[in-house]
Amino acid sequence: MPEQTSRQHASRYLTLPQFKQYCGLGKRFLREAIKDSAHPLPHFRLNKKTILISTDDFDNWLQRYRVDGNSDLDRIVDGVLRGL
């Protein structure tokens, strides 16, 4: 059991290729998210080539983009369609 716990802890920080598989997002999107000046994706840059991303940090970062219910655009479209 201790081995499993240490493996889970070790997999919490993923390289960019590993992280791409974890979240299903493209490498270009992830690189742009890291460079986003308004809301950058938290990461660790170990050297010029190695970037590590914490799955916990990503989950927290992603919550900022959560949309609950209808967006404003959906409400506008619904209103226009009702008026037809």
Side-chain angles (χ1 to χ4, degrees):
M1 199 70 147
E3 273 184 51
Q4 189 175 15
T5 304
S6 65
R7 270 187 276 162
Q8 287 174 346
H9 182 71
S11 67
R12 193 171 154 241
Y13 295 94
L14 305 175
T15 63
L16 203 55
Q18 293 169 328
F19 195 76
K20 182 180 149 194
Q21 289 185 325
Y22 166 80
C23 67
L25 298 170
K27 190 174 181 179
R28 181 179 292 167
F29 176 85
L30 291 171
R31 287 192 179 277
E32 288 174 7
I34 287 170
K35 294 177 185 178
D36 184 346
S37 61
H39 188 54
L41 175 60
H43 65 286
F44 301 90
R45 185 174 297 274
L46 302 180
N47 56 44
K48 287 185 178 185
K49 292 185 178 183
T50 306
I51 295 172
L52 296 179
I53 302 172
S54 162
T55 55
D56 291 341
D57 287 346
F58 173 76
D59 293 340
N60 292 330
W61 175 84
L62 191 60
Q63 288 301 313
R64 183 167 187 164
Y65 296 99
R66 182 181 175 138
V67 177
D68 291 324
N70 288 339
S71 68
D72 291 338
L73 180 59
D74 289 339
R75 283 188 287 255
I76 292 168
V77 170
D78 288 345
V80 169
L81 291 176
R82 275 188 236 119
L84 295 178

